[in-house]
Amino acid sequence: MISWLVGSQVPTWEYMRDLFEDVENVAVYANQNNVVELIKMSDIEPLHSQVTVLIHPKNIGLLKPAYLKLRDYVAFPVFDLSVLRRLVSKKSWRGIEYYYQWEFQGGWALYDCRECESKQRAHLDVNPTDPEAEKKHLEILSSK
């Protein structure tokens, strides 16, 4: 259906919002050259199925989320386990942790938020390796 988007330059966020208007959960991932490499979509309701559009965090170095829409959540990658654990200890937060042979590879932090496009965009603009990332994410959460 939208396979023509793969291999093209990442369109604007507004264009993708219109393109995926009828899809409840979608993620578009681009490489370092800003070329779309992967599109994942899901219309199944439960949390487990909604986050199936999220890729393994170890791939974030190769593919960055260029667009992310989850019906009931805001999500962003986290590479520090202690940061992820602190975030998910807060009310309405969830986390997905990925391991390889007992070693933490990265994860996704999610919190309940319906129709929070501006917050989702802001979270994706934060560099996940920034030492101040946790602080920035919390500031975005508390912003209007």
Side-chain angles (χ1 to χ4, degrees):
M1 166 171 107
I2 47 136
S3 59
W4 56 269
L5 194 56
V6 174
S8 66
Q9 288 291 309
V10 173
T12 65
W13 186 281
E14 293 74 20
Y15 180 84
M16 289 188 283
R17 178 193 326 123
D18 293 343
L19 181 65
F20 298 114
E21 180 179 13
D22 296 330
V23 181
E24 290 188 353
N25 307 291
V26 62
V28 176
Y29 297 94
N31 63 23
Q32 292 82 4
N33 297 321
N34 216 29
V35 173
V36 175
E37 292 280 337
L38 177 66
I39 302 167
K40 295 184 80 175
M41 300 180 347
S42 172
D43 280 333
I44 302 172
E45 287 191 35
L47 169 69
H48 177 72
S49 298
Q50 285 186 0
V51 298
T52 59
V53 301
L54 303 176
I55 62 173
H56 192 296
K58 74 176 184 176
N59 295 318
I60 297 295
L62 304 172
L63 300 175
K64 64 179 168 104
Y67 180 78
L68 181 57
K69 173 186 168 187
L70 298 174
R71 188 184 75 187
D72 297 322
Y73 305 96
V74 168
F76 52 89
V78 177
F79 294 101
D80 183 324
L81 181 57
S82 61
V83 169
L84 183 59
R85 296 263 171 98
R86 279 194 302 274
L87 291 172
V88 301
S89 70
K90 298 178 184 316
K91 183 179 179 184
S92 78
W93 283 72
R94 293 161 177 75
I96 304 168
E97 298 175 5
Y98 293 84
Y99 291 85
Y100 178 74
Q101 296 181 352
W102 301 100
E103 182 180 336
F104 180 70
Q105 300 287 299
W108 289 88
L110 298 91
Y111 61 87
D112 297 346
C113 197
R114 234 174 133 71
E115 298 180 21
C116 294
E117 178 183 1
S118 62
K119 288 187 181 198
Q120 180 63 76
R121 287 181 78 171
H123 283 296
L124 293 181
D125 286 340
V126 175
N127 181 342
T129 60
D130 181 346
E132 297 289 315
E134 179 180 11
K135 179 182 172 190
K136 291 177 182 179
H137 287 302
L138 292 172
E139 287 172 357
I140 293 167
L141 172 67
S142 61
S143 68
K144 289 188 178 187

